[in-house]
Every structure is written in structure tokens, then in C-alpha cells.
Amino acid sequence: MSKLGRCRATGGEQTDIDMVPVMNMFLVLIPFLLMSVSFFHIKAINTSVPVLSQSQDGGDKPISEKVTAIVEIEPQGFHVSAISDSVAYEELVKWDARVAREEQAEYPMDQLVAQLTKLKLRYPASDTLIIIPDGTVVYDTIIQAMDVARYYNNDSLFPNVVLSGKVG
Amino acid sequence: MALGKMKKHAKHFVPPKLQITSMMDMFTIILIFLLFSFSNKPETMSLHKDMKLPKSTANLDYKENINLVLSQTTLELGGKVIGTVKDGRIIGLDPKNLKTSTLYERLRSTRESTDKLQGDSNTKQHVLFLCDKRLPFRTINCVVKAAAMAGYPNFQFGVLKK
């Protein structure tokens, strides 16, 4: 007869597991975890402001067509444009576009994305965007614009965002 | 005799068993939930109750930085109030002369002491900027400009995960 069989045959008494120590452990763990739990998760968006810097000489390296997108956030809507050292001015002017916002309505972020996507498709090496908000534009709108301009549907558009005030 | 009868009829007292299985289940669920929400980097910064951070799709974790908090009433640097906000304007932060502000002076001295310690002025240091989502850009711009002039042009804008 096997060992297990013998054990079954004797019909050993059922014993309850003493759960009290486990409960004690839980009672210590739960307050500790409650103290360290965070119910709101703060994330970050990397951005910078324009600073004076010494120009870097590119040498004889071939320059790929790269533009810097500019989004001006105005009370009437968005003004999208582009600047570049490697693209002709006549070509850049074509990218000048205005995305109008209806009065008191939300900013048309989808239209802004459409415009920026077109620019990105034409100049895939581009990765920098300058956001120039009007003084009255609220911070929430700036963040929303940053969100859609950086990544859209998991595709990277212009991940490097520079925030600048309007000059003049 | 009556007492004797009672003694005869009295059953043996069996101490009741506490049924803790359901409580164990509950505790297990709570424990698992808390373990999942456990943060090894708890938000130790103090935020005003009326402060509303913007929501974003950003997934980047913030680094240990200089904390700059701009609420609708105060401007705080490293947990200390250094200015008050009134009608969208920061008292003591003149947009035309930012170098005279407390914010500029404090950030400048922090930058200098960090540079001395690290011996490399090109170290990329960020300012974690937490700002109320209802504030206009003209208010934010003064703070951002002053920080950039003091040697901190790179920011991490604190947002809530969507």
C-alpha cells in the first residue's frame, strides 16, 4: 500500500489552517500600501524655450530637407507655417494655412493635425515644432495642441516642442 | 434542585469559530489593487486643492527636478511660495524686468551652485513646471522666460495622464 493510500485509509482529521497570522500581515501591509499609493499619475511633456546659441557649422554634409513647423495659437484659430534653411522660401509659403475656430467653440485640433500631417509627409525628417500662443490662450489649449502635434495615432509628428512668446 | 436540573440540561459551551474566509478574500483583493497602484515615486509635492492640471496623452515620467508650481493664486519654487497671482499677473514679476524678480534670483543661485558642484555648465537640467490649466499664456510666459534667463531653458510640463 502506498503512503498516500495508507493516509487515506486512516481517515486523518481535517485541520483548519490558522489564518490569523496571515490576517495580521495583511493588516500591516494594507495601511503601508495605502500610504504609498498614488491615485493620480503625473506625467511630463518635455519642452523648451528659445535661447541664444552659437550657430553650428554643418560643413559639407548633405542637408536633408527639413522644416520647422510653426503653430500660432490665436483667439480666432491656428496659423500654421513653416521655416527652413534647406527649403526655398517660395516652397515654404505654400504651407501657410489658417485653421479658423468658431466663436466660443473649441479649437479644431483635428484640422491642425491634418495640416501638420501633410507637412510631415512632405518633409519626413522634420521633428521640431514651435508653438506661439497668444497671451489670452489658456494653458490647457497649449497642452492639447502639443499633444496632437507631438504624436498622432502613435505616429510621431513633431516630438520636439518649443514654446515661445510672440515677439513684437 | 432547580440548579442541578439546569446543570444537567446545559450543553457544553462550544466557542464559536470566526469565519474569516470572506474577509481574507476581501483583503486579498484590496492588497492586489494596492500593489498594482503602488508607486515607488510618490507625489510628494504639495498641490493646491483648487489647482487643476491639464490632461494629456504623454507617457513620460518626470525626473527629479526643480519644482515650479503656478496656481491661480500663488507661485511656488521648491515648495516655498515666492509670489502671488492676482488677476492673471504675478506680483513681483515684472515682465519688462524679469531679472529683478525673486524667481530669477533663486533659480540663478541654484544654477550657480549646481554648476560649481558638477563642474559642467552644459548639464541639461529640467524644471518640472506644474501649472493650472485655466491660466492664460501671458502669465505663464513671464515664469517660463525668467526660468530660461536664469539658466533653465528646458522644462517638463507636468500633466495628468488621460
Side-chain angles (χ1 to χ4, degrees):
Chain A
M1 205 177 193
S2 69
K3 217 174 186 180
L4 185 69
R6 253 181 282 147
C7 195
R8 274 181 186 162
T10 50
E13 253 183 55
Q14 276 191 346
T15 51
D16 284 339
I17 306 163
D18 189 10
M19 300 296 265
V20 179
V22 185
M23 286 286 291
N24 287 342
M25 191 191 68
F26 273 20
L27 281 171
V28 174
L29 269 177
I30 287 174
F32 167 74
L33 288 170
L34 268 174
M35 278 192 289
S36 16
V37 76
S38 63
F39 292 103
F40 63 98
H41 299 277
I42 292 181
K43 295 287 171 186
I45 300 174
N46 278 341
T47 187
S48 59
V49 292
V51 284
L52 278 174
S53 64
Q54 288 177 332
S55 63
Q56 288 175 342
D57 192 10
D60 294 333
K61 283 181 188 172
I63 304 163
S64 59
E65 281 192 327
K66 204 173 176 181
V67 296
T68 300
I70 296 173
V71 176
E72 286 175 60
I73 312 175
E74 298 162 346
Q76 307 84 21
F78 297 113
H79 178 206
V80 185
S81 56
I83 52 167
S84 173
D85 290 335
S86 54
V87 181
Y89 176 74
E90 292 76 26
E91 177 69 22
L92 290 172
V93 171
K94 290 177 193 168
W95 293 100
D96 226 54
R98 283 190 182 276
V99 180
R101 167 206 185 197
E102 282 176 37
E103 216 167 299
Q104 302 299 320
E106 286 192 2
Y107 279 86
M109 296 295 171
D110 48 343
Q111 290 179 50
L112 173 68
V113 171
Q115 194 63 29
L116 290 174
T117 309
K118 274 190 242 171
L119 195 61
K120 178 77 179 179
L121 286 172
R122 175 66 186 81
Y123 305 104
S126 311
D127 58 359
T128 308
L129 170 89
I130 301 174
I131 292 186
I132 308 171
D134 185 83
T136 55
V137 173
V138 292
Y139 184 57
D140 194 32
T141 309
I142 300 168
I143 294 292
Q144 279 180 45
M146 275 185 186
D147 259 5
V148 296
R150 287 163 66 244
Y151 299 96
Y152 187 68
N153 287 343
N154 295 325
D155 293 328
S156 167
L157 288 176
F158 298 91
N160 301 332
V161 183
V162 178
L163 186 68
S164 171
K166 206 172 244 181
V167 180
Chain B
M1 191 63 202
L3 193 65
K5 266 185 191 174
M6 266 180 78
K7 269 185 182 172
K8 269 184 188 175
H9 288 108
K11 289 175 184 171
H12 287 289
F13 175 72
V14 182
K17 267 190 180 177
L18 188 64
Q19 195 52 255
I20 55 169
T21 315
S22 46
M23 202 191 273
M24 279 289 295
D25 292 346
M26 187 188 74
F27 272 7
T28 312
I29 292 165
I30 294 172
L31 192 72
I32 290 166
F33 168 74
L34 290 174
L35 278 171
F36 270 98
S37 341
F38 179 76
S39 168
N40 59 351
K41 203 165 69 174
E43 277 75 18
T44 47
M45 63 197 84
S46 60
L47 290 178
H48 283 261
K49 278 181 188 172
D50 62 339
M51 184 154 170
K52 286 185 179 174
L53 285 176
K55 285 184 180 174
S56 165
T57 52
N59 273 320
L60 188 76
D61 284 320
Y62 65 88
K63 293 172 192 165
E64 289 300 321
N65 290 314
I66 297 160
N67 289 355
L68 194 57
V69 183
L70 181 62
S71 73
Q72 284 199 312
T73 50
T74 56
L75 172 67
E76 290 175 23
L77 178 66
K80 287 177 187 169
V81 179
I82 55 161
T84 50
V85 183
K86 206 174 181 185
D87 301 325
R89 292 185 69 181
I90 302 161
I91 312 295
L93 198 71
D94 181 12
K96 287 173 186 168
N97 197 3
L98 293 168
K99 286 189 176 177
T100 56
S101 65
T102 317
L103 174 67
Y104 175 82
E105 282 167 13
R106 295 231 177 135
L107 283 174
R108 188 80 207 157
S109 62
T110 310
R111 179 83 217 190
E112 280 169 3
S113 54
T114 316
D115 286 350
K116 272 181 196 169
L117 279 173
Q118 295 181 345
D120 179 16
S121 59
N122 291 324
T123 317
K124 221 179 180 184
Q125 278 191 308
H126 288 86
V127 169
L128 177 64
F129 184 53
L130 300 167
C131 177
D132 193 289
K133 67 178 186 180
R134 295 160 292 183
L135 282 170
F137 180 67
R138 80 166 79 84
T139 313
I140 301 161
N141 198 23
C142 296
V143 178
V144 168
K145 260 191 199 171
M149 283 163 73
Y152 294 97
N154 300 307
F155 293 86
Q156 287 200 316
F157 284 171
V159 288
L160 288 180
K161 201 178 173 187
K162 249 182 195 172

